[in-house]
PDB file of all heavy atoms in Angstrom:
ATOM      1  N   ASN A 351     -52.579  49.097  -5.100  1.00 87.00           N
ATOM      2  CA  ASN A 351     -51.253  49.021  -4.546  1.00 87.00           C
ATOM      3  C   ASN A 351     -51.057  48.151  -3.239  1.00 87.00           C
ATOM      4  O   ASN A 351     -49.870  47.965  -2.882  1.00 87.00           O
ATOM      5  CB  ASN A 351     -50.998  50.542  -3.951  1.00 87.00           C
ATOM      6  CG  ASN A 351     -50.838  51.410  -5.142  1.00 87.00           C
ATOM      7  OD1 ASN A 351     -49.882  51.422  -5.832  1.00 87.00           O
ATOM      8  ND2 ASN A 351     -51.885  52.290  -5.323  1.00 87.00           N
ATOM      9  N   CYS A 352     -52.049  47.677  -2.601  1.00 89.00           N
ATOM     10  CA  CYS A 352     -51.897  46.858  -1.344  1.00 89.00           C
ATOM     11  C   CYS A 352     -52.443  45.519  -1.440  1.00 89.00           C
ATOM     12  O   CYS A 352     -51.984  44.670  -0.785  1.00 89.00           O
ATOM     13  CB  CYS A 352     -52.634  47.764  -0.264  1.00 89.00           C
ATOM     14  SG  CYS A 352     -52.395  49.528  -0.353  1.00 89.00           S
ATOM     15  N   CYS A 355     -50.885  41.889  -1.622  1.00 82.00           N
ATOM     16  CA  CYS A 355     -50.192  41.282  -0.343  1.00 82.00           C
ATOM     17  C   CYS A 355     -51.175  41.267   0.772  1.00 82.00           C
ATOM     18  O   CYS A 355     -51.361  40.129   1.310  1.00 82.00           O
ATOM     19  CB  CYS A 355     -49.002  42.098   0.065  1.00 82.00           C
ATOM     20  SG  CYS A 355     -47.820  42.025  -1.332  1.00 82.00           S
ATOM     21  N   HIS A 356     -51.907  42.353   1.133  1.00 90.00           N
ATOM     22  CA  HIS A 356     -52.729  42.377   2.220  1.00 90.00           C
ATOM     23  C   HIS A 356     -54.138  41.842   2.053  1.00 90.00           C
ATOM     24  O   HIS A 356     -54.968  41.804   2.991  1.00 90.00           O
ATOM     25  CB  HIS A 356     -52.728  43.759   2.910  1.00 90.00           C
ATOM     26  CG  HIS A 356     -51.397  44.245   3.393  1.00 90.00           C
ATOM     27  ND1 HIS A 356     -50.867  43.823   4.512  1.00 90.00           N
ATOM     28  CD2 HIS A 356     -50.604  45.205   2.885  1.00 90.00           C
ATOM     29  CE1 HIS A 356     -49.759  44.401   4.815  1.00 90.00           C
ATOM     30  NE2 HIS A 356     -49.440  45.237   3.812  1.00 90.00           N
ATOM     31  N   ALA A 366     -47.009  35.559   6.183  1.00 79.00           N
ATOM     32  CA  ALA A 366     -46.296  36.180   5.072  1.00 79.00           C
ATOM     33  C   ALA A 366     -46.686  37.741   5.043  1.00 79.00           C
ATOM     34  O   ALA A 366     -45.738  38.552   5.036  1.00 79.00           O
ATOM     35  CB  ALA A 366     -46.701  35.600   3.820  1.00 79.00           C
ATOM     36  N   PHE A 367     -47.947  38.119   5.052  1.00 86.00           N
ATOM     37  CA  PHE A 367     -48.276  39.397   4.977  1.00 86.00           C
ATOM     38  C   PHE A 367     -49.294  39.756   6.131  1.00 86.00           C
ATOM     39  O   PHE A 367     -50.312  39.011   6.214  1.00 86.00           O
ATOM     40  CB  PHE A 367     -48.997  39.698   3.580  1.00 86.00           C
ATOM     41  CG  PHE A 367     -48.108  39.336   2.486  1.00 86.00           C
ATOM     42  CD1 PHE A 367     -48.431  38.305   1.628  1.00 86.00           C
ATOM     43  CD2 PHE A 367     -46.892  40.087   2.134  1.00 86.00           C
ATOM     44  CE1 PHE A 367     -47.657  37.925   0.548  1.00 86.00           C
ATOM     45  CE2 PHE A 367     -46.089  39.664   1.183  1.00 86.00           C
ATOM     46  CZ  PHE A 367     -46.433  38.668   0.365  1.00 86.00           C
ATOM     47  N   PRO A 368     -48.973  40.675   6.998  1.00 93.00           N
ATOM     48  CA  PRO A 368     -49.797  40.893   8.196  1.00 93.00           C
ATOM     49  C   PRO A 368     -51.174  41.461   7.804  1.00 93.00           C
ATOM     50  O   PRO A 368     -51.342  42.068   6.774  1.00 93.00           O
ATOM     51  CB  PRO A 368     -49.041  41.936   8.931  1.00 93.00           C
ATOM     52  CG  PRO A 368     -48.079  42.613   7.968  1.00 93.00           C
ATOM     53  CD  PRO A 368     -47.871  41.557   6.908  1.00 93.00           C
ATOM     54  N   PRO A 369     -52.212  41.235   8.648  1.00 96.00           N
ATOM     55  CA  PRO A 369     -53.475  41.765   8.266  1.00 96.00           C
ATOM     56  C   PRO A 369     -53.575  43.227   8.505  1.00 96.00           C
ATOM     57  O   PRO A 369     -52.752  43.817   9.363  1.00 96.00           O
ATOM     58  CB  PRO A 369     -54.404  41.064   9.337  1.00 96.00           C
ATOM     59  CG  PRO A 369     -53.520  40.754  10.410  1.00 96.00           C
ATOM     60  CD  PRO A 369     -52.233  40.447   9.852  1.00 96.00           C
ATOM     61  N   LEU A 370     -54.367  43.963   7.766  1.00 98.00           N
ATOM     62  CA  LEU A 370     -54.717  45.429   8.125  1.00 98.00           C
ATOM     63  C   LEU A 370     -55.985  45.451   8.734  1.00 98.00           C
ATOM     64  O   LEU A 370     -56.336  46.378   9.459  1.00 98.00           O
ATOM     65  CB  LEU A 370     -54.678  46.199   6.796  1.00 98.00           C
ATOM     66  CG  LEU A 370     -53.312  46.230   6.040  1.00 98.00           C
ATOM     67  CD1 LEU A 370     -53.378  47.068   4.833  1.00 98.00           C
ATOM     68  CD2 LEU A 370     -52.147  46.557   6.891  1.00 98.00           C
ATOM     69  N   SER A 373     -56.084  45.515  12.688  1.00 97.00           N
ATOM     70  CA  SER A 373     -54.617  45.345  13.116  1.00 97.00           C
ATOM     71  C   SER A 373     -54.343  46.110  14.287  1.00 97.00           C
ATOM     72  O   SER A 373     -54.527  47.382  14.277  1.00 97.00           O
ATOM     73  CB  SER A 373     -53.874  45.721  11.919  1.00 97.00           C
ATOM     74  OG  SER A 373     -52.502  46.083  12.351  1.00 97.00           O
ATOM     75  N   TYR A 375     -51.389  46.714  15.315  1.00 97.00           N
ATOM     76  CA  TYR A 375     -50.247  47.503  15.094  1.00 97.00           C
ATOM     77  C   TYR A 375     -50.593  48.826  14.379  1.00 97.00           C
ATOM     78  O   TYR A 375     -50.230  49.846  14.639  1.00 97.00           O
ATOM     79  CB  TYR A 375     -49.416  46.561  14.118  1.00 97.00           C
ATOM     80  CG  TYR A 375     -47.993  47.176  13.726  1.00 97.00           C
ATOM     81  CD1 TYR A 375     -46.824  46.895  14.429  1.00 97.00           C
ATOM     82  CD2 TYR A 375     -47.888  48.136  12.686  1.00 97.00           C
ATOM     83  CE1 TYR A 375     -45.691  47.490  14.092  1.00 97.00           C
ATOM     84  CE2 TYR A 375     -46.652  48.685  12.343  1.00 97.00           C
ATOM     85  CZ  TYR A 375     -45.561  48.378  12.991  1.00 97.00           C
ATOM     86  OH  TYR A 375     -44.345  49.003  12.665  1.00 97.00           O
ATOM     87  N   LEU A 376     -51.566  48.682  13.408  1.00 97.00           N
ATOM     88  CA  LEU A 376     -52.063  49.772  12.624  1.00 97.00           C
ATOM     89  C   LEU A 376     -52.710  50.737  13.592  1.00 97.00           C
ATOM     90  O   LEU A 376     -52.477  51.994  13.433  1.00 97.00           O
ATOM     91  CB  LEU A 376     -52.953  49.303  11.495  1.00 97.00           C
ATOM     92  CG  LEU A 376     -53.779  50.325  10.677  1.00 97.00           C
ATOM     93  CD1 LEU A 376     -52.958  51.086   9.742  1.00 97.00           C
ATOM     94  CD2 LEU A 376     -54.848  49.500   9.948  1.00 97.00           C
ATOM     95  N   SER A 383     -47.870  53.906  10.761  1.00 97.00           N
ATOM     96  CA  SER A 383     -48.310  53.185   9.554  1.00 97.00           C
ATOM     97  C   SER A 383     -48.285  53.944   8.265  1.00 97.00           C
ATOM     98  O   SER A 383     -47.999  53.484   7.311  1.00 97.00           O
ATOM     99  CB  SER A 383     -49.671  52.689   9.823  1.00 97.00           C
ATOM    100  OG  SER A 383     -49.732  51.705  10.905  1.00 97.00           O
ATOM    101  N   VAL A 386     -44.843  53.535   7.324  1.00 95.00           N
ATOM    102  CA  VAL A 386     -44.671  52.176   6.634  1.00 95.00           C
ATOM    103  C   VAL A 386     -44.850  52.259   5.185  1.00 95.00           C
ATOM    104  O   VAL A 386     -44.161  51.759   4.355  1.00 95.00           O
ATOM    105  CB  VAL A 386     -45.494  51.080   7.358  1.00 95.00           C
ATOM    106  CG1 VAL A 386     -45.498  49.832   6.487  1.00 95.00           C
ATOM    107  CG2 VAL A 386     -45.028  50.901   8.801  1.00 95.00           C
ATOM    108  N   VAL A 387     -45.999  52.910   4.874  1.00 95.00           N
ATOM    109  CA  VAL A 387     -46.389  53.022   3.406  1.00 95.00           C
ATOM    110  C   VAL A 387     -45.282  53.927   2.691  1.00 95.00           C
ATOM    111  O   VAL A 387     -44.863  53.517   1.583  1.00 95.00           O
ATOM    112  CB  VAL A 387     -47.788  53.692   3.290  1.00 95.00           C
ATOM    113  CG1 VAL A 387     -48.158  53.853   1.786  1.00 95.00           C
ATOM    114  CG2 VAL A 387     -48.773  52.678   3.940  1.00 95.00           C
ATOM    115  N   LEU A 391     -40.989  48.765   5.193  1.00 91.00           N
ATOM    116  CA  LEU A 391     -40.723  48.347   6.414  1.00 91.00           C
ATOM    117  C   LEU A 391     -39.986  46.923   6.398  1.00 91.00           C
ATOM    118  O   LEU A 391     -40.325  46.078   5.520  1.00 91.00           O
ATOM    119  CB  LEU A 391     -42.119  48.051   7.211  1.00 91.00           C
ATOM    120  CG  LEU A 391     -42.029  47.565   8.596  1.00 91.00           C
ATOM    121  CD1 LEU A 391     -41.340  48.654   9.534  1.00 91.00           C
ATOM    122  CD2 LEU A 391     -43.399  47.192   9.244  1.00 91.00           C
ATOM    123  N   GLU A 392     -38.888  46.850   7.272  1.00 87.00           N
ATOM    124  CA  GLU A 392     -38.131  45.686   7.220  1.00 87.00           C
ATOM    125  C   GLU A 392     -37.885  45.274   8.660  1.00 87.00           C
ATOM    126  O   GLU A 392     -37.799  46.131   9.494  1.00 87.00           O
ATOM    127  CB  GLU A 392     -36.763  45.979   6.550  1.00 87.00           C
ATOM    128  CG  GLU A 392     -36.195  44.761   5.848  1.00 87.00           C
ATOM    129  CD  GLU A 392     -34.818  44.938   5.277  1.00 87.00           C
ATOM    130  OE1 GLU A 392     -34.650  46.122   4.701  1.00 87.00           O
ATOM    131  OE2 GLU A 392     -34.017  44.071   5.437  1.00 87.00           O
ATOM    132  N   GLY A 393     -37.951  44.028   8.988  1.00 87.00           N
ATOM    133  CA  GLY A 393     -37.537  43.577  10.339  1.00 87.00           C
ATOM    134  C   GLY A 393     -38.764  43.026  10.994  1.00 87.00           C
ATOM    135  O   GLY A 393     -39.887  42.950  10.425  1.00 87.00           O
ATOM    136  N   GLN A 394     -38.597  42.612  12.258  1.00 91.00           N
ATOM    137  CA  GLN A 394     -39.641  41.879  12.998  1.00 91.00           C
ATOM    138  C   GLN A 394     -40.719  42.797  13.556  1.00 91.00           C
ATOM    139  O   GLN A 394     -40.330  43.673  14.230  1.00 91.00           O
ATOM    140  CB  GLN A 394     -38.964  41.064  14.155  1.00 91.00           C
ATOM    141  CG  GLN A 394     -39.982  40.119  14.818  1.00 91.00           C
ATOM    142  CD  GLN A 394     -39.327  39.105  15.555  1.00 91.00           C
ATOM    143  OE1 GLN A 394     -38.336  38.447  15.113  1.00 91.00           O
ATOM    144  NE2 GLN A 394     -39.654  38.912  16.803  1.00 91.00           N
ATOM    145  N   ILE A 395     -41.962  42.517  13.308  1.00 95.00           N
ATOM    146  CA  ILE A 395     -43.030  43.101  14.054  1.00 95.00           C
ATOM    147  C   ILE A 395     -44.113  42.158  14.491  1.00 95.00           C
ATOM    148  O   ILE A 395     -43.991  41.022  14.033  1.00 95.00           O
ATOM    149  CB  ILE A 395     -43.791  44.241  13.108  1.00 95.00           C
ATOM    150  CG1 ILE A 395     -44.281  43.491  11.914  1.00 95.00           C
ATOM    151  CG2 ILE A 395     -42.840  45.390  12.611  1.00 95.00           C
ATOM    152  CD1 ILE A 395     -45.258  44.499  11.083  1.00 95.00           C
ATOM    153  N   VAL A 397     -48.197  41.481  14.785  1.00 96.00           N
ATOM    154  CA  VAL A 397     -49.455  42.043  14.483  1.00 96.00           C
ATOM    155  C   VAL A 397     -50.488  41.008  14.872  1.00 96.00           C
ATOM    156  O   VAL A 397     -50.467  39.939  14.538  1.00 96.00           O
ATOM    157  CB  VAL A 397     -49.664  42.321  12.951  1.00 96.00           C
ATOM    158  CG1 VAL A 397     -50.963  42.800  12.640  1.00 96.00           C
ATOM    159  CG2 VAL A 397     -48.546  43.083  12.421  1.00 96.00           C
ATOM    160  N   TYR A 402     -44.068  38.850  12.331  1.00 91.00           N
ATOM    161  CA  TYR A 402     -43.756  38.926  10.867  1.00 91.00           C
ATOM    162  C   TYR A 402     -42.373  39.301  10.791  1.00 91.00           C
ATOM    163  O   TYR A 402     -42.016  40.356  11.570  1.00 91.00           O
ATOM    164  CB  TYR A 402     -44.775  39.927  10.111  1.00 91.00           C
ATOM    165  CG  TYR A 402     -46.111  39.250  10.090  1.00 91.00           C
ATOM    166  CD1 TYR A 402     -47.092  39.450  11.228  1.00 91.00           C
ATOM    167  CD2 TYR A 402     -46.505  38.453   9.035  1.00 91.00           C
ATOM    168  CE1 TYR A 402     -48.297  38.845  11.149  1.00 91.00           C
ATOM    169  CE2 TYR A 402     -47.834  37.942   9.064  1.00 91.00           C
ATOM    170  CZ  TYR A 402     -48.667  38.195   9.974  1.00 91.00           C
ATOM    171  OH  TYR A 402     -49.977  37.635  10.028  1.00 91.00           O
ATOM    172  N   ASN A 403     -41.573  38.763   9.936  1.00 86.00           N
ATOM    173  CA  ASN A 403     -40.176  39.274   9.889  1.00 86.00           C
ATOM    174  C   ASN A 403     -39.880  39.289   8.444  1.00 86.00           C
ATOM    175  O   ASN A 403     -39.293  38.334   7.822  1.00 86.00           O
ATOM    176  CB  ASN A 403     -39.257  38.349  10.615  1.00 86.00           C
ATOM    177  CG  ASN A 403     -37.848  38.952  10.734  1.00 86.00           C
ATOM    178  OD1 ASN A 403     -37.624  39.995  10.138  1.00 86.00           O
ATOM    179  ND2 ASN A 403     -36.997  38.352  11.470  1.00 86.00           N
ATOM    180  N   SER A 404     -40.404  40.304   7.746  1.00 82.00           N
ATOM    181  CA  SER A 404     -40.323  40.245   6.261  1.00 82.00           C
ATOM    182  C   SER A 404     -39.989  41.662   5.770  1.00 82.00           C
ATOM    183  O   SER A 404     -39.572  42.551   6.537  1.00 82.00           O
ATOM    184  CB  SER A 404     -41.562  39.695   5.764  1.00 82.00           C
ATOM    185  OG  SER A 404     -41.654  39.689   4.365  1.00 82.00           O
ATOM    186  N   THR A 405     -40.293  41.952   4.524  1.00 81.00           N
ATOM    187  CA  THR A 405     -40.021  43.275   3.949  1.00 81.00           C
ATOM    188  C   THR A 405     -41.186  43.682   3.215  1.00 81.00           C
ATOM    189  O   THR A 405     -41.701  43.053   2.400  1.00 81.00           O
ATOM    190  CB  THR A 405     -38.835  43.219   2.995  1.00 81.00           C
ATOM    191  OG1 THR A 405     -37.752  42.658   3.734  1.00 81.00           O
ATOM    192  CG2 THR A 405     -38.480  44.586   2.600  1.00 81.00           C
ATOM    193  N   MET A 406     -41.689  44.988   3.601  1.00 84.00           N
ATOM    194  CA  MET A 406     -42.705  45.598   2.776  1.00 84.00           C
ATOM    195  C   MET A 406     -42.049  46.640   1.896  1.00 84.00           C
ATOM    196  O   MET A 406     -41.195  47.476   2.502  1.00 84.00           O
ATOM    197  CB  MET A 406     -43.739  46.232   3.633  1.00 84.00           C
ATOM    198  CG  MET A 406     -44.638  47.179   2.730  1.00 84.00           C
ATOM    199  SD  MET A 406     -46.147  47.605   3.648  1.00 84.00           S
ATOM    200  CE  MET A 406     -46.443  49.235   2.941  1.00 84.00           C
ATOM    201  N   PRO A 407     -42.207  46.611   0.570  1.00 81.00           N
ATOM    202  CA  PRO A 407     -41.446  47.752  -0.262  1.00 81.00           C
ATOM    203  C   PRO A 407     -42.044  49.052   0.119  1.00 81.00           C
ATOM    204  O   PRO A 407     -43.252  49.154   0.510  1.00 81.00           O
ATOM    205  CB  PRO A 407     -41.749  47.257  -1.645  1.00 81.00           C
ATOM    206  CG  PRO A 407     -43.099  46.447  -1.577  1.00 81.00           C
ATOM    207  CD  PRO A 407     -42.987  45.850  -0.186  1.00 81.00           C
ATOM    208  N   ILE A 409     -44.037  52.164  -1.020  1.00 87.00           N
ATOM    209  CA  ILE A 409     -45.111  52.210  -1.997  1.00 87.00           C
ATOM    210  C   ILE A 409     -44.985  53.593  -2.619  1.00 87.00           C
ATOM    211  O   ILE A 409     -45.063  54.575  -1.918  1.00 87.00           O
ATOM    212  CB  ILE A 409     -46.512  51.985  -1.373  1.00 87.00           C
ATOM    213  CG1 ILE A 409     -46.512  50.814  -0.546  1.00 87.00           C
ATOM    214  CG2 ILE A 409     -47.511  51.972  -2.504  1.00 87.00           C
ATOM    215  CD1 ILE A 409     -46.380  49.425  -1.391  1.00 87.00           C
ATOM    216  N   LEU A 411     -46.427  56.502  -3.743  1.00 91.00           N
ATOM    217  CA  LEU A 411     -47.699  57.194  -3.856  1.00 91.00           C
ATOM    218  C   LEU A 411     -47.354  58.686  -3.487  1.00 91.00           C
ATOM    219  O   LEU A 411     -46.493  58.942  -2.704  1.00 91.00           O
ATOM    220  CB  LEU A 411     -48.657  56.640  -2.761  1.00 91.00           C
ATOM    221  CG  LEU A 411     -49.082  55.246  -3.005  1.00 91.00           C
ATOM    222  CD1 LEU A 411     -50.010  54.779  -1.862  1.00 91.00           C
ATOM    223  CD2 LEU A 411     -49.957  55.053  -4.329  1.00 91.00           C
ATOM    224  N   VAL A 419     -55.472  56.451   0.852  1.00 96.00           N
ATOM    225  CA  VAL A 419     -55.522  55.076   1.124  1.00 96.00           C
ATOM    226  C   VAL A 419     -55.513  54.758   2.591  1.00 96.00           C
ATOM    227  O   VAL A 419     -56.153  53.796   2.954  1.00 96.00           O
ATOM    228  CB  VAL A 419     -54.283  54.329   0.341  1.00 96.00           C
ATOM    229  CG1 VAL A 419     -52.978  54.543   1.033  1.00 96.00           C
ATOM    230  CG2 VAL A 419     -54.573  52.798   0.162  1.00 96.00           C
ATOM    231  N   MET A 420     -54.856  55.571   3.354  1.00 97.00           N
ATOM    232  CA  MET A 420     -54.921  55.373   4.833  1.00 97.00           C
ATOM    233  C   MET A 420     -56.264  55.615   5.365  1.00 97.00           C
ATOM    234  O   MET A 420     -56.749  54.964   6.301  1.00 97.00           O
ATOM    235  CB  MET A 420     -53.798  56.096   5.482  1.00 97.00           C
ATOM    236  CG  MET A 420     -52.327  55.650   5.324  1.00 97.00           C
ATOM    237  SD  MET A 420     -52.231  53.924   5.749  1.00 97.00           S
ATOM    238  CE  MET A 420     -52.526  54.053   7.503  1.00 97.00           C
ATOM    239  N   VAL A 423     -58.256  52.509   4.544  1.00 98.00           N
ATOM    240  CA  VAL A 423     -57.862  51.411   5.482  1.00 98.00           C
ATOM    241  C   VAL A 423     -58.462  51.645   6.917  1.00 98.00           C
ATOM    242  O   VAL A 423     -59.015  50.701   7.439  1.00 98.00           O
ATOM    243  CB  VAL A 423     -56.404  51.227   5.455  1.00 98.00           C
ATOM    244  CG1 VAL A 423     -55.866  50.312   6.616  1.00 98.00           C
ATOM    245  CG2 VAL A 423     -55.866  50.756   4.143  1.00 98.00           C
TER     246      VAL A 423
HETATM  247  C1  HEM B   1     -46.771  45.756   6.805  1.00 84.98           C
HETATM  248  C2  HEM B   1     -50.016  48.883   5.002  1.00 84.98           C
HETATM  249  C3  HEM B   1     -48.709  47.449   0.526  1.00 84.98           C
HETATM  250  C4  HEM B   1     -46.280  43.815   2.509  1.00 84.98           C
HETATM  251  C5  HEM B   1     -47.696  46.786   6.813  1.00 84.98           C
HETATM  252  C6  HEM B   1     -48.275  47.551   7.917  1.00 84.98           C
HETATM  253  C7  HEM B   1     -49.148  48.444   7.351  1.00 84.98           C
HETATM  254  C8  HEM B   1     -49.219  48.255   5.931  1.00 84.98           C
HETATM  255  C9  HEM B   1     -50.068  49.422   8.155  1.00 84.98           C
HETATM  256  C10 HEM B   1     -47.923  47.351   9.358  1.00 84.98           C
HETATM  257  C11 HEM B   1     -48.516  46.037   9.891  1.00 84.98           C
HETATM  258  C12 HEM B   1     -49.994  45.986  10.011  1.00 84.98           C
HETATM  259  O1  HEM B   1     -50.625  46.848  10.520  1.00 84.98           O
HETATM  260  O2  HEM B   1     -50.484  44.925   9.559  1.00 84.98           O
HETATM  261  C13 HEM B   1     -49.915  48.798   3.633  1.00 84.98           C
HETATM  262  C14 HEM B   1     -50.614  49.640   2.779  1.00 84.98           C
HETATM  263  C15 HEM B   1     -50.204  49.305   1.425  1.00 84.98           C
HETATM  264  C16 HEM B   1     -49.247  48.155   1.558  1.00 84.98           C
HETATM  265  C17 HEM B   1     -51.631  50.807   3.143  1.00 84.98           C
HETATM  266  C18 HEM B   1     -50.552  49.928   0.142  1.00 84.98           C
HETATM  267  C19 HEM B   1     -50.508  51.299  -0.016  1.00 84.98           C
HETATM  268  C20 HEM B   1     -47.960  46.269   0.679  1.00 84.98           C
HETATM  269  C21 HEM B   1     -47.469  45.507  -0.404  1.00 84.98           C
HETATM  270  C22 HEM B   1     -46.782  44.399   0.042  1.00 84.98           C
HETATM  271  C23 HEM B   1     -46.841  44.575   1.544  1.00 84.98           C
HETATM  272  C24 HEM B   1     -47.698  45.837  -1.860  1.00 84.98           C
HETATM  273  C25 HEM B   1     -46.060  43.216  -0.619  1.00 84.98           C
HETATM  274  C26 HEM B   1     -45.287  43.442  -1.556  1.00 84.98           C
HETATM  275  C27 HEM B   1     -46.087  44.033   3.822  1.00 84.98           C
HETATM  276  C28 HEM B   1     -45.300  43.265   4.738  1.00 84.98           C
HETATM  277  C29 HEM B   1     -45.367  43.869   6.020  1.00 84.98           C
HETATM  278  C30 HEM B   1     -46.397  44.949   5.773  1.00 84.98           C
HETATM  279  C31 HEM B   1     -44.500  42.019   4.410  1.00 84.98           C
HETATM  280  C32 HEM B   1     -44.776  43.378   7.284  1.00 84.98           C
HETATM  281  C33 HEM B   1     -43.380  43.893   7.257  1.00 84.98           C
HETATM  282  C34 HEM B   1     -42.448  43.393   8.281  1.00 84.98           C
HETATM  283  O3  HEM B   1     -42.519  42.222   8.649  1.00 84.98           O
HETATM  284  O4  HEM B   1     -41.566  44.133   8.853  1.00 84.98           O
HETATM  285  N1  HEM B   1     -48.292  47.177   5.475  1.00 84.98           N
HETATM  286  N2  HEM B   1     -49.064  47.891   2.932  1.00 84.98           N
HETATM  287  N3  HEM B   1     -47.537  45.720   1.876  1.00 84.98           N
HETATM  288  N4  HEM B   1     -46.706  44.980   4.557  1.00 84.98           N
HETATM  289 FE1  HEM B   1     -47.854  46.522   3.734  1.00 84.98          FE
END
Side-chain angles (χ1 to χ4, degrees):
N351 296 286
C352 323
C355 299
H356 292 288
F367 305 111
L370 301 182
S373 158
Y375 184 97
L376 165 76
S383 297
V386 169
V387 177
L391 183 64
E392 209 183 324
Q394 184 165 313
I395 59 169
V397 183
Y402 294 85
N403 192 353
S404 181
T405 306
M406 168 166 153
I409 309 292
L411 296 175
V419 79
M420 285 305 295
V423 168

